[in-house]
Amino acid sequence: MPFVMVQIPKQSAPSLPAQRPVPTSADVARLAGVSRATVSYVLNNTSAVRISEPTRRRVHAAAKELGYVPHAAARSLRAGHSRMVLMPAPTVPVNPLYSGFFNELQWALSRLDYTVVQYGSVGLSGDDIARAWAELRPVAVVAPGAWLGPEGVAVLKRSGARAVVTLSPEAVEGAHTLILDHRGVGENAIAHLLTRGRRRIGVVMPQESGLSAFSKPRLEGCHRAVQGTDASLTELPLAYEEEAAAALAARWRSLDLDAVFAYNDEYAMLLMRALQDEGLRIPEDLSVVGADDLMLGRLLRPRLTTVHIQLPAGRDLAELVDRAVREPGVIPETRGVLSLRVVHRESS
Amino acid sequence: MPFVMVQIPKQSAPSLPAQRPVPTSADVARLAGVSRATVSYVLNNTSAVRISEPTRRRVHAAAKELGYVPHAAARSLRAGHSRMVLMPAPTVPVNPLYSGFFNELQWALSRLDYTVVQYGSVGLSGDDIARAWAELRPVAVVAPGAWLGPEGVAVLKRSGARAVVTLSPEAVEGAHTLILDHRGVGENAIAHLLTRGRRRIGVVMPQESGLSAFSKPRLEGCHRAVQGTDASLTELPLAYEEEAAAALAARWRSLDLDAVFAYNDEYAMLLMRALQDEGLRIPEDLSVVGADDLMLGRLLRPRLTTVHIQLPAGRDLAELVDRAVREPGVIPETRGVLSLRVVHRESS
DNA sequence: TTGAAAGCGATACCAG
DNA sequence: CTGGTATCGCTTTCAA
């Protein structure tokens, strides 16, 4: 059956950019006429070994010609470790405060020669998340919020993570914890309103689900602040929409409140506008306090009283990570890092 | 020499959490009393092979006892490919528009069984970035802005990336491009002001460096819009600070302008406030137009006219990526995806 | 049904 | 100064 011998070309459409195999260090070695070991020495500038200048040039030329790029997975497999710091990618729009903090952290870590990777963890939950992260064998994990429990921390450490840092409301067993206690935000806001003589205080609770991690602790702090006083708290559920704010404003007078802590500056702006449109005067008829100290609070009229939140310096956190990586023996430390300050302006 | 047989314990300080070696599938196999192959079959539910129920249980039990987590790098090295989609981590605070888009994209990609990783690329520039990304051997790369040039795209493709998608002002050779042409934003804003009878128009240029990628194209669009009209454009550099806005407002009357396109809603708010504090009336003395259609624009008084920007659906982009991955032969396509619309409110 | 062994890509030791 | 080679952890034929 001689006709069967006619070879069918592998690529029937050779005009397409043929799916060429990715060049490896072996290819570079072959082209340069040296061994793979030599290629490795040259490309990594290994100081323990001296390679002749002509050879170096041939290797570099070959690498460039092939467009060789080393394979990170292979390298870290061989090395037995990586310098990857893993953080979960944010799932809710972050305010400038947070994004500034993370940029600084990222920058500082890369100065220390770490590679920062944000890992999207949509759909996973609980300890599955920790397992998914552990598969990447990061040298360190920085996890804001309540992503990680003690179990997750243990999984990560068993998988070689030398530092696990959480930024959360309370200490997590086995991990370094920077305590970001948002209760203090509510507490400060309410305390301020009390000194202004307010007693019947509303607390805005955003209906956006991703925000409950912040809104609940803030509310808890509010309750703590009214303990042992004659003031009363009223929860005010509010979606971040004009209509919702208008509806709340419409029934405002029946609520009989003389102040409101609006969760943050953005909700404060939303609510203030609706209240003003209803003819309510701020601060005569009621006081309004926001939080986060965003620029927009200064641009409102009246200017918005707010709780300024100072996050720790990204550089400090980066150094904590680095220290923990280099001395894995140290006891995980826990410390509060939210420094809060009421900025009194005109709305209260 | 019998005494030599006395073993020195590996961990001399057993109180510290001993730096135990990370368990591998070989350890699981040993503990379960089976071969590594069997472990792999069981843990991956390989359907081609039938493993007896008792064996499966023993393997699972051993894995759980050791806290075994597979090593992603080893796996993808062996497999020869990964399902990692790489995106650069944002370096500037992103507005809710963008962050919503990326969340949707991330979610859609993970539904398609891709792993989304955001890679921080601080300090690197140009083709070094592409090389750093290529080391991770992603199956696809999605890069907003002008991160990637044709050279970078080529590097990534040679390293096995089967899809490279850029979101940028103009097509990039070799990559799928979703054209996000911000010139249209400026053009729409100015066109609107012209129909309102304005002729001497200021254009705010943010001084924050990360924003020039947007502000320059927007300005270019402004120029295009005044082509062939009797209108004139004045660039107004402005930092995002109250003092800068106040200074600009103080010399406003000498500028002799009857309208301003304020780059976006946030700068518009900043500037409007300063101008109002100077006693200027909006829109009687001048018109103001923002962009991005943020919530705050609706809350200002007068309500802010703005250019609404509609990004493509994250799901569509995810499908584009998936198609490109599965059929790497297809010609990279280029299409505009920014749909713009002037929302006329009270400030113009 | 299970096990032995090859091999993915890069590196580092040890000979030559 | 350069080259063979074992090795990292895992998957997947091929044999038993």
Side-chain angles (χ1 to χ4, degrees):
Chain A
M1 313 190 296
F3 290 113
V4 198
M5 292 176 64
V6 174
Q7 290 287 325
I8 294 165
K10 273 268 180 67
Q11 292 97 355
S12 47
S15 62
L16 308 182
Q19 195 70 339
R20 273 188 325 191
V22 179
T24 74
S25 76
D27 297 320
V28 176
R30 209 156 17 240
L31 182 57
V34 299
S35 78
R36 278 150 63 223
T38 305
V39 171
S40 178
Y41 292 143
V42 171
L43 296 183
N44 295 314
N45 269 319
T46 309
S47 52
V49 193
R50 302 220 87 72
I51 305 286
S52 70
E53 202 45 50
T55 308
R56 304 180 78 87
R57 266 198 294 274
R58 285 220 313 287
V59 169
H60 277 124
K64 174 171 283 182
E65 181 178 337
L66 293 175
Y68 169 72
V69 175
H71 191 308
R75 173 181 291 171
S76 75
L77 178 59
R78 172 63 230 238
H81 63 251
S82 71
R83 291 189 64 80
M84 187 201 315
V85 176
L86 206 61
M87 316 200 295
T91 54
V92 291
V94 294
N95 67 35
L97 202 70
Y98 257 76
S99 93
F101 167 68
F102 279 115
N103 274 344
E104 196 187 325
L105 172 61
Q106 217 167 89
W107 189 83
L109 282 173
S110 70
R111 298 280 314 181
L112 292 168
D113 201 35
Y114 292 95
T115 295
V116 179
V117 163
Q118 283 176 270
Y119 191 84
S121 328
V122 220
L124 297 173
S125 68
D127 294 336
D128 286 345
I129 294 194
R131 231 185 313 280
W133 293 349
E135 293 195 359
L136 301 180
R137 296 290 191 274
V139 70
V141 176
V142 177
W147 296 75
L148 280 178
E151 193 52 49
V153 173
V155 169
L156 286 167
K157 293 217 156 166
R158 264 202 307 270
S159 304
R162 292 164 65 99
V164 179
V165 181
T166 68
L167 288 69
S168 55
E170 46 194 55
V172 178
E173 173 94 31
H176 294 261
T177 304
L178 300 188
I179 303 233
L180 301 187
D181 189 354
H182 281 261
R183 284 174 302 191
V185 178
E187 195 170 9
N188 271 274
I190 301 300
H192 168 77
L193 289 170
L194 292 176
T195 68
R196 304 297 296 169
R198 306 300 182 167
R199 286 296 176 273
R200 302 182 309 283
I201 305 175
V203 178
V204 168
M205 295 298 286
Q207 294 305 282
E208 282 62 39
S209 61
L211 262 38
S212 64
F214 303 103
S215 60
K216 280 184 187 162
R218 290 184 182 188
L219 174 64
E220 198 186 325
C222 293
H223 277 117
R224 208 161 57 183
V226 296
Q227 287 274 332
T229 73
D230 58 343
S232 70
L233 249 42
T234 306
E235 290 186 38
L236 304 170
L238 176 61
Y240 195 61
E241 295 157 7
E242 274 187 291
E243 301 73 29
L248 177 55
R251 64 191 183 90
W252 188 264
R253 290 188 165 89
S254 72
L255 288 167
D256 189 33
L257 300 173
D258 60 14
V260 62
F261 167 55
Y263 172 67
N264 75 1
D265 289 356
E266 290 178 309
Y267 281 82
M269 181 179 186
L270 175 67
L271 183 56
M272 266 176 69
R273 172 54 59 209
L275 292 171
Q276 287 175 325
D277 287 353
E278 276 289 322
L280 287 145
R281 293 162 309 155
I282 301 169
E284 292 81 358
D285 298 329
L286 79 157
S287 293
V288 178
V289 175
D292 294 353
D293 194 13
L294 303 182
M295 170 70 90
L296 64 81
R298 268 172 283 177
L299 303 177
L300 295 177
R301 295 298 179 266
R303 293 178 171 85
L304 182 64
T305 294
T306 191
V307 181
H308 177 88
I309 301 179
Q310 174 84 58
L311 290 174
R315 252 193 34 206
D316 294 343
L317 178 46
E319 271 161 26
L320 170 60
V321 169
D322 187 46
R323 214 167 342 116
V325 166
R326 293 204 298 216
E327 302 159 16
V330 303
I331 307 290
E333 66 179 303
T334 294
R335 59 173 187 232
V337 288
L338 228 43
S339 82
L340 305 173
R341 177 167 45 86
V342 171
V343 180
H344 184 196
R345 298 206 185 97
E346 305 161 355
S347 68
S348 66
Chain B
M1 313 189 299
F3 289 111
V4 198
M5 293 175 62
V6 174
Q7 292 287 327
I8 293 164
K10 275 269 180 65
Q11 296 97 356
S12 48
S15 61
L16 306 181
Q19 195 68 342
R20 274 187 327 192
V22 179
T24 73
S25 75
D27 297 320
V28 177
R30 208 155 20 237
L31 182 57
V34 298
S35 75
R36 279 151 63 223
T38 306
V39 171
S40 177
Y41 292 143
V42 171
L43 296 183
N44 296 311
N45 270 319
T46 310
S47 52
V49 190
R50 302 220 87 72
I51 305 283
S52 70
E53 201 44 49
T55 307
R56 303 182 79 87
R57 266 199 293 274
R58 285 219 313 287
V59 170
H60 276 124
K64 172 171 284 181
E65 182 178 337
L66 293 176
Y68 169 73
V69 175
H71 191 308
R75 172 180 293 172
S76 75
L77 178 58
R78 171 65 228 237
H81 61 90
S82 72
R83 289 187 65 80
M84 187 203 312
V85 176
L86 206 61
M87 317 199 295
T91 54
V92 292
V94 294
N95 67 35
L97 202 71
Y98 257 76
S99 95
F101 168 67
F102 278 115
N103 274 344
E104 195 187 325
L105 172 61
Q106 218 167 87
W107 189 84
L109 282 173
S110 70
R111 298 280 314 180
L112 292 167
D113 201 36
Y114 293 95
T115 295
V116 179
V117 162
Q118 284 175 269
Y119 191 83
S121 329
V122 219
L124 298 173
S125 66
D127 294 336
D128 285 345
I129 295 196
R131 232 186 313 280
W133 293 349
E135 292 195 0
L136 300 179
R137 298 290 192 273
V139 70
V141 175
V142 177
W147 296 76
L148 281 179
E151 193 51 49
V153 174
V155 169
L156 286 167
K157 292 218 158 168
R158 264 201 308 270
S159 305
R162 292 164 66 98
V164 179
V165 181
T166 68
L167 288 69
S168 56
E170 46 194 56
V172 177
E173 174 93 30
H176 294 263
T177 304
L178 301 188
I179 302 233
L180 301 187
D181 188 353
H182 281 259
R183 285 175 300 191
V185 177
E187 195 169 9
N188 272 273
I190 301 299
H192 169 77
L193 289 171
L194 292 176
T195 68
R196 305 296 297 171
R198 306 299 182 167
R199 287 295 177 275
R200 302 181 310 283
I201 304 175
V203 178
V204 168
M205 295 298 286
Q207 293 304 284
E208 282 62 39
S209 60
L211 262 38
S212 63
F214 304 103
S215 61
K216 280 183 186 161
R218 289 184 183 187
L219 174 64
E220 198 186 324
C222 293
H223 278 117
R224 206 161 59 183
V226 295
Q227 287 273 334
T229 73
D230 58 344
S232 70
L233 248 42
T234 306
E235 289 186 38
L236 303 170
L238 176 61
Y240 195 60
E241 295 157 6
E242 275 188 290
E243 301 73 30
L248 176 55
R251 61 190 183 92
W252 188 264
R253 290 191 165 87
S254 72
L255 288 168
D256 188 33
L257 300 173
D258 60 14
V260 61
F261 167 54
Y263 172 66
N264 76 2
D265 289 356
E266 290 178 309
Y267 281 83
M269 181 179 185
L270 176 66
L271 183 56
M272 266 176 69
R273 173 53 58 207
L275 292 171
Q276 289 175 325
D277 287 352
E278 275 289 322
L280 287 144
R281 292 163 308 155
I282 301 169
E284 292 80 359
D285 297 330
L286 80 157
S287 294
V288 178
V289 175
D292 293 353
D293 194 13
L294 302 183
M295 169 70 91
L296 63 82
R298 267 172 285 178
L299 302 177
L300 295 177
R301 296 296 180 269
R303 292 178 171 84
L304 182 64
T305 295
T306 190
V307 181
H308 177 88
I309 301 180
Q310 174 84 57
L311 290 174
R315 252 193 31 206
D316 293 344
L317 176 47
E319 272 161 26
L320 169 60
V321 168
D322 187 47
R323 216 169 338 117
V325 166
R326 293 204 298 216
E327 302 161 15
V330 303
I331 305 293
E333 64 179 305
T334 293
R335 57 172 190 232
V337 288
L338 228 44
S339 81
L340 304 173
R341 176 166 47 87
V342 172
V343 180
H344 183 195
R345 299 207 185 97
E346 303 160 357
S347 69
S348 64

